[in-house]
Amino acid sequence: MFEAYIIDACRTPRGVGKIGKGALAHLHPGRLGATVLAALAERNDLNTADVDDIIWGTSWQRGKQSNDLGRMSALDAGYDVRSSGVTLDRYCGSGITSVALGAAQVMSGMEDLVISGGTEMMSFTAADANPNEPAMMDAGNLSLRAKHPQSQQGVCADAIATLEGIDREALDALAVTSQNRAARAISEGRFDKSVVPVMNEDGSVALDREEFPRPGTTMESLAGLKPVFEMISGIAIDEAGTTYGDMIYQVYPQLKGAMTHVHHAGNSSGVVDGSAAVLLASEDYAIQAGFTPRARVVATANMGDCPTLMLNAPVAAAKKVLAKAGLSIDDIDVFEINEAFAVVAEKFIRDLNLDREKVNINGGAMALGHPIGATGSILIGTALDELERSGGRYALITMCAAGGMAPAIIIERV
C-alpha cells in the first residue's frame, strides 16, 4: 500500500449563515468552492491538468448546491478541464469522507493527485429547508420510519443529554470554553496559515475573518438563553400529528414526559457558510512536483449507531480508527470532535476519558460554526495546523452525522 500525503489545506472564513446578514450569503456556493480550489492551485504552483479527481462533500444537494458542486467549482476556479470531480453526501461527515476517499484512491495506487473538500451555504439550506420535514430522511417513507424513526438533531441532542445525565451547566461550560479558545486562536493568528479571503465579483473583499464567534460569552450570558428544542420537539411532521418528539419516544418511551431540554443557540453549532479543500498526493508525485508533505493519512474508519439518537457514533468511530492505526488514546496529541451540539463533544470526552486540553484546542463549531459538508475538511486542516504549531505527532478527527453515523481519520505530521 502506498502513502497518501497531505500537501496543503485551506479554507474560507465562516460567514454567518443568514441571507441579508452574512457576508458570504449573497454568493453562489460554487464561488466558495472555487475560492479554496484556486488558492490551493496558487499556493502550490499546481498543474491542475495533473489533478486526477476532486472529491467534494455537500450535504444539501438541492437548487444552487446541486449539479456536482465539486466539478463545477473546479471549472469556476479555472482548473484544466481534465481534472474531474464528484460530489458526495454523508451529511455532516461529508468533509471527512471526501478526504478519506481521496486518500484511499492514492493509497491504492489508482490516483496520484487528488483534492478533497466540501462546501455548504447554510444561508441557502436554512432558507430552503422545510421545518415540517426531517432533513435526514423522507418523511413519507413510512417503512423506514417504522424501522428507524429519525427526529430533528437538536431534539436528539436533548434526548442523549437526558439519557446520559449530562446537565446544562456542563454543556454551557463547554460552550464558554469553545468561545474562549476560538478567541485566543484568532488573536494569536493560529488560523492564518489556512484561511483565504473570499472575494466579491467586483474584486472587493467579501470576508477575510471569522464572522460568527461571540467573544466574551459567559456562563451568565448563556444562562439567559432559552432552550429551543422543546418547541421543535412538538412540531408535527405528518397529518396524523406525529411529532419530532414522538419519533424519539417510539424507541425510547422512557423519555416521554422526562426529556430535559438543555440545548440552545449558545451551546449548539453555529449556522454558517464556508468551504475547505485538502491537497493529497502520492510520494512519487510529491517528489516529481517538488512538494513538501505536511502530513500523511494513517487510517480512516466509518461507524454506524442508533439512527434515532443519531449523534452517538463518534466514540465507536474513534475506537475503530485507533485500532486500524495500531494506536492508543494516549498516542493522540490533538482531537477534533465536531461540536454539533455540546453533548456530542462532552459525551466524547467523558466516554474516552480524554485530557480536555487535547480536545478542540482552538475552539469548535459552537464558537466558529458548522458549514455541514465542509466542516470535516476544515477540522482536518485545523488539526494539521495545530500539530505543526505545537509539535505534536498524531491527530484524530471525527464527527457525528445524520442517520446515526460517524467517519473518523487519523493523520500524522511529517
Side-chain angles (χ1 to χ4, degrees):
M1 187 171 66
F2 301 95
E3 296 285 6
Y5 287 106
I6 297 177
I7 305 302
D8 198 9
C10 68
R11 66 174 178 86
T12 68
R14 280 160 279 195
V16 170
K18 292 184 179 179
I19 294 174
K21 294 185 178 180
L24 301 177
H26 64 289
L27 298 172
H28 191 281
R31 291 303 304 149
L32 294 193
T35 295
V36 291
L37 288 170
L40 275 188
E42 181 179 353
R43 285 156 57 121
N44 298 281
D45 193 21
L46 189 64
N47 179 0
T48 61
D50 289 347
V51 176
D52 294 305
D53 209 4
I54 294 156
I55 305 176
W56 217 243
T58 302
S59 183
W60 196 264
Q61 293 186 31
R62 308 182 191 180
K64 293 190 292 185
Q65 292 196 163
S66 60
N67 302 314
D68 192 355
L69 199 57
R71 169 64 170 172
M72 298 307 156
S73 295
L75 293 175
D76 195 11
Y79 273 44
D80 191 284
V81 296
R82 287 170 285 183
S83 56
S84 187
V86 64
T87 302
L88 60 86
D89 174 17
R90 198 195 292 275
Y91 301 108
C92 299
S94 301
I96 290 179
T97 295
S98 66
V99 176
L101 292 179
Q105 286 291 91
V106 173
M107 294 167 81
S108 70
M110 294 296 102
E111 311 280 19
D112 285 300
L113 188 64
V114 176
I115 298 176
S116 297
T119 301
E120 203 81 43
M121 293 284 289
M122 295 189 73
S123 54
F124 164 65
T125 63
D128 190 56
N130 179 358
N132 296 314
E133 180 179 338
M136 68 294 304
M137 62 177 285
D138 181 353
N141 189 341
L142 300 181
S143 175
L144 176 57
R145 277 180 54 190
K147 295 182 180 76
H148 297 293
Q150 296 172 59
S151 185
Q152 196 270 353
Q153 286 123 316
V155 180
C156 295
D158 284 346
I160 293 168
T162 304
L163 291 167
E164 296 290 329
I166 300 175
D167 61 24
R168 175 168 170 167
E169 184 177 6
L171 302 179
D172 283 0
L174 194 65
V176 171
T177 296
S178 184
Q179 291 284 352
N180 290 341
R181 289 179 175 180
R184 178 187 64 190
I186 291 168
S187 68
E188 294 180 1
R190 296 187 185 185
F191 300 144
D192 291 356
K193 187 172 185 177
S194 292
V195 173
V196 296
V198 181
M199 313 303 287
N200 290 311
E201 295 294 340
D202 64 4
S204 62
V205 175
L207 187 65
D208 60 1
R209 59 176 177 79
E210 298 291 346
E211 192 176 34
F212 188 79
R214 297 175 294 277
T217 297
T218 64
M219 292 292 287
E220 290 73 24
S221 64
L222 292 184
L225 300 177
K226 294 182 179 180
V228 297
F229 299 107
E230 182 172 10
M231 180 273 293
I232 291 175
S233 70
I235 293 177
I237 62 168
D238 58 28
E239 293 180 357
T242 304
T243 67
Y244 284 119
D246 290 335
M247 298 177 82
I248 297 280
Y249 309 144
Q250 182 177 324
V251 181
Y252 297 91
Q254 70 270 34
L255 290 175
K256 190 168 186 177
M259 183 109 73
T260 56
H261 295 282
V262 291
H263 287 89
H264 49 76
N267 61 20
S268 303
S269 56
V271 176
V272 296
D273 300 331
S275 187
V278 178
L279 179 61
L280 299 157
S282 67
E283 183 175 13
D284 286 347
Y285 188 88
I287 292 171
Q288 171 193 325
F291 291 154
T292 301
R294 296 175 61 191
R296 73 180 185 98
V297 176
V298 178
T300 70
N302 297 290
M303 201 72 189
D305 200 273
C306 171
T308 299
L309 289 180
M310 199 176 300
L311 313 176
N312 276 344
V315 170
K319 291 178 178 179
K320 185 176 180 180
V321 78
L322 284 167
K324 284 182 174 292
L327 299 172
S328 72
I329 288 289
D330 293 337
D331 292 318
I332 305 300
D333 301 294
V334 174
F335 291 89
E336 286 288 340
I337 168 67
N338 186 43
E339 296 170 351
F341 300 92
V343 74
V344 176
E346 183 65 23
K347 183 178 181 335
F348 187 80
I349 292 168
R350 293 186 185 193
D351 285 1
L352 295 175
N353 193 29
L354 299 181
D355 178 351
R356 290 177 181 267
E357 295 304 312
K358 293 183 175 183
V359 183
N360 297 354
I361 296 167
N362 296 309
M366 290 187 286
L368 295 160
H370 173 28
I372 307 296
T375 301
S377 299
I378 290 174
L379 295 185
I380 291 168
T382 298
L384 175 55
D385 285 346
E386 180 57 28
L387 287 177
E388 292 177 338
R389 186 196 70 83
S390 64
R393 182 176 181 182
Y394 293 111
L396 188 157
I397 304 97
T398 188
M399 59 202 308
C400 60
M405 300 182 288
I409 188 169
I410 293 174
I411 63 172
E412 179 184 16
R413 180 177 64 89
V414 297

